[in-house]
Amino acid sequence: MNIPLGRTLDATRRTPAEPPAIREPRHVPLAHVVRGGVIEGVHHGSVVVLGADGRVEFQAGDIDAAFYPRSALKPVQAVGLLRAGLPLEGELLSLTAASHSGQRRHLDGARRILDRAGLTEADLRNVPDLPYGAAERDAWLRDGGEPTRLAQNCSGKHAAMLLTAQLRGWPLADYLDPAHPLQRLIAETVEDLTGQRVARVTVDGCGAPLFSVSLRGLATAAARIASGAADTPEGRVAAALRAHPDMASGSDRDVARLMRAVPGLIAKDGFEGVQIAALPDGRAVAVKIADGADRARMPVTAAALAHCGIDPGALTEFATTPVHGGGVTVGCLHPTALLAPPAA
């Protein structure tokens, strides 16, 4: 099966617009690092907030430059796998869209997916790594563990890719090749859900193809997944994330806590300071921190969600990041005034 980039299998799907411009993004100050009452550092970035009608309700920085969403794209990839025939639901579908911490249930889940295809860890082509979660990584090392493909945080996605390829009768050894029919179908799904053609294709940290879109396009994709009807691939991915947020990340990861704190919300983080979050009515946010600092990702996301009308009280634990000195809290990282929510 040969699916040219940008072609659709279903004529009813949207025709994507032109790809976003490849340029130096015009980021703006989004977060201040304050120590002892003095601004010690500034994190620049961009953020977009979409209303339920898909229109931009708020923006800061450059929401139309091409960038790489990293693992924030995994829910979109999971939709592509379902469109290709992936027969997973519930916790295993959530794991398919995961950057998991490497807890036992994550590794067991990836094995269960491989078992359904009659495959083993040796068939995975992601990069061997230690567990992503700090506690899980420390325990792994104490037990003498070494980097493995199963422990790497993308193993659920890779296992699901293999299962899909096996069921479709597609080659397995080169399932990560951008020219592989599976990856072409995923690229098509990216273009369909973001509403724009892919600007550039490269390789993500795990070895899978990575597609460059705009922040506006990424938020649009998140909205379409979160608001998808229950019987669609989009709705199935959203339902799995809502029901099993811990499988998509880890028990104490901020993304899982955010989904538990805001009913109906789906959320996914990505390396280099990327975050998406979206509600069932289509309201959505997408964040990119320019320097990739993870510590600024969630406070900026919480500020963006306040622009969606989310009660700030539900976001209190995510609104700031403490700054420590000498074992005590001496300041905090907080969003700049640019992100102040609209007056009531």
Side-chain angles (χ1 to χ4, degrees):
M1 181 178 183
N2 184 22
I3 307 171
L5 199 64
R7 293 280 299 280
T8 62
L9 296 176
D10 183 347
T12 65
R13 293 181 188 167
R14 294 163 286 264
T15 299
E18 291 302 305
I22 299 175
R23 62 175 180 239
E24 181 178 356
R26 298 184 286 269
H27 294 306
V28 297
L30 294 183
H32 286 161
V33 182
V34 179
R35 182 184 295 271
V38 174
I39 296 176
E40 184 177 43
V42 180
H43 292 290
H44 290 67
S46 297
V47 58
V48 62
V49 178
L50 300 182
D53 60 0
R55 297 181 182 179
V56 175
E57 296 283 335
F58 174 83
Q59 68 182 87
D62 195 342
I63 68 170
D64 289 315
F67 86 115
Y68 289 115
R70 303 299 300 270
S71 286
L73 198 64
K74 284 178 178 173
V76 181
Q77 292 170 310
V79 170
L81 292 173
L82 289 178
R83 289 181 176 183
L86 178 69
L88 296 180
E89 305 288 345
E91 63 177 6
L92 294 185
L93 181 54
S94 184
L95 184 64
T96 296
S99 299
H100 65 71
S101 291
Q103 295 172 325
R104 179 175 295 277
R105 58 180 165 172
H106 297 140
L107 276 59
D108 288 346
R111 289 192 189 96
R112 287 163 58 195
I113 297 173
L114 289 170
D115 286 345
R116 292 187 65 163
L119 302 172
T120 70
E121 181 178 357
D123 295 294
L124 295 170
R125 292 294 180 267
N126 58 320
V127 176
D129 202 356
L130 298 171
Y132 178 66
E136 291 78 13
R137 182 171 58 251
D138 290 346
W140 189 272
L141 291 171
R142 282 196 304 271
D143 293 340
E146 297 182 350
T148 70
R149 298 185 192 277
L150 203 66
Q152 197 267 339
N153 74 87
C154 304
S155 62
K157 177 181 76 174
H158 282 257
M161 286 179 173
L162 280 169
L163 173 58
T164 305
Q166 192 260 5
L167 291 173
R168 293 298 297 264
W170 292 333
L172 302 183
D174 62 343
Y175 75 94
L176 296 183
D177 187 331
H180 191 282
L182 177 65
Q183 300 303 336
R184 286 187 172 272
L185 195 150
I186 290 174
E188 171 194 281
T189 302
V190 171
E191 293 187 332
D192 178 46
L193 294 184
T194 62
Q196 59 191 192
R197 297 192 184 280
V198 168
R200 192 69 59 85
V201 181
T202 188
V203 182
D204 209 343
C206 66
L210 178 62
F211 308 100
S212 181
V213 297
S214 72
L215 205 61
R216 185 199 301 263
L218 182 63
T220 299
R224 288 173 175 167
I225 293 172
S227 62
D231 60 347
T232 64
E234 294 90 331
R236 290 164 62 191
V237 169
L241 292 173
R242 291 180 184 122
H244 305 279
D246 293 0
M247 286 297 282
S249 53
S251 299
D252 197 41
R253 294 263 294 283
D254 57 14
V255 176
R257 299 200 314 272
L258 180 64
M259 284 193 276
R260 292 195 293 263
V262 182
L265 187 78
I266 66 167
K268 184 69 187 77
D269 55 341
F271 278 161
E272 297 299 321
V274 183
Q275 180 72 51
I276 58 171
L279 292 156
D281 64 1
R283 287 174 291 162
V285 307
V287 170
K288 165 62 181 174
I289 305 302
D291 62 1
D294 192 63
R295 64 181 180 175
R297 170 183 52 81
M298 192 53 75
V300 171
T301 299
L305 285 170
H307 282 270
C308 280
I310 302 298
D311 179 6
L315 303 169
T316 300
E317 71 167 294
F318 311 102
T320 62
T321 300
V323 172
H324 297 115
V328 298
T329 299
V330 296
C332 71
L333 181 152
H334 62 76
T336 64
L338 185 64
L339 289 173

